[in-house]
Amino acid sequence: MSFNLAFDFSVNRENNTINVKRAFAAALPLVWDAYTNREILDQWWAPKPWKARTKSMDFREGGQWLYAMVGPHGEEHWAIATYTNIEFQKHFTGLDAFTDADGTINNDLPKSRWEVHFSDLGHHTRVEMRISYDDLAQLEATIQMGFKEGLSMAMEGLDELLASIKQ
């Protein structure tokens, strides 16, 4: 059986959401770890040549992940995810916002709610994300920041990482 690993990215401006579907050539436990383990996240979450660097992570309901996207010249863009619901190896939801290095939310930048679902396809795993915004302006600002391109590149990095881990 062949799988389409293509990056399916769609924007719904009527309900201020971005939907992303992507399959990975790895079993569910490894893909789950790639999204929930800081050591693995730091290896792929940022689009190259940027790197993700976790300052703190507490993956449990009510816990947070504070991290920076670090550019090739040392520039840093901080963000925080607050986990609101987790069902092991099935889904997690969280609130995402841009912050400073101390985790203070920048209210001038977009905030979103993430729902991330995982489907076991045997030797492959499908990840579906629904990212919602309070208003269209925040959705449009996120798109203007290059979110689609950055996420696509990061997921390509995850493909490479998963292949190297499986060997």
Side-chain angles (χ1 to χ4, degrees), residues 29-162:
L30 182 56
V31 176
W32 175 263
D33 285 349
Y35 275 82
T36 61
N37 178 305
R38 66 186 284 176
E39 286 78 19
I40 302 174
L41 272 166
D42 282 353
Q43 295 179 58
W44 74 271
W45 186 246
K48 293 178 182 176
W50 290 66
K51 303 261 185 207
R53 186 182 66 229
T54 296
K55 183 173 185 179
S56 62
M57 185 175 192
D58 181 11
F59 187 72
R60 62 180 174 85
E61 292 178 358
Q64 296 183 317
W65 177 35
L66 177 61
Y67 65 97
M69 296 283 200
V70 182
H73 304 291
E75 60 270 44
E76 297 178 345
H77 297 280
W78 289 88
I80 195 164
T82 301
Y83 301 106
T84 56
N85 186 282
I86 298 170
E87 187 173 354
F88 182 68
Q89 294 188 353
K90 292 193 182 296
H91 79 270
F92 66 84
T93 60
L95 304 174
D96 186 79
F98 293 94
T99 68
D100 63 17
D102 296 321
T104 303
I105 293 175
N106 182 338
N107 289 313
D108 294 331
L109 294 172
K111 292 183 277 255
S112 58
R113 180 176 192 275
W114 286 58
E115 301 171 35
V116 184
H117 295 267
F118 298 81
S119 299
D120 185 353
L121 306 175
H123 298 290
H124 292 73
T125 301
R126 183 177 51 242
V127 178
E128 297 180 53
M129 297 186 289
R130 183 174 194 268
I131 306 158
S132 56
Y133 299 85
D134 285 345
D135 55 60
L136 184 58
Q138 292 184 67
L139 169 67
E140 295 290 358
T142 300
I143 292 170
Q144 289 299 315
M145 289 180 199
F147 178 71
K148 178 181 180 180
E149 297 78 10
L151 184 61
S152 177
M153 291 174 64
M155 289 184 165
E156 289 170 8
L158 179 55
D159 282 333
E160 295 170 10
L161 179 64
L162 292 170

Side-chain angles (χ1 to χ4, degrees), residues 7-23:
F7 181 67
D8 181 359
F9 185 99
S10 63
V11 176
N12 184 328
R13 288 178 170 81
E14 291 180 13
N15 62 16
N16 305 321
T17 59
I18 296 172
N19 294 291
V20 179
K21 295 179 184 174
R22 181 68 153 74

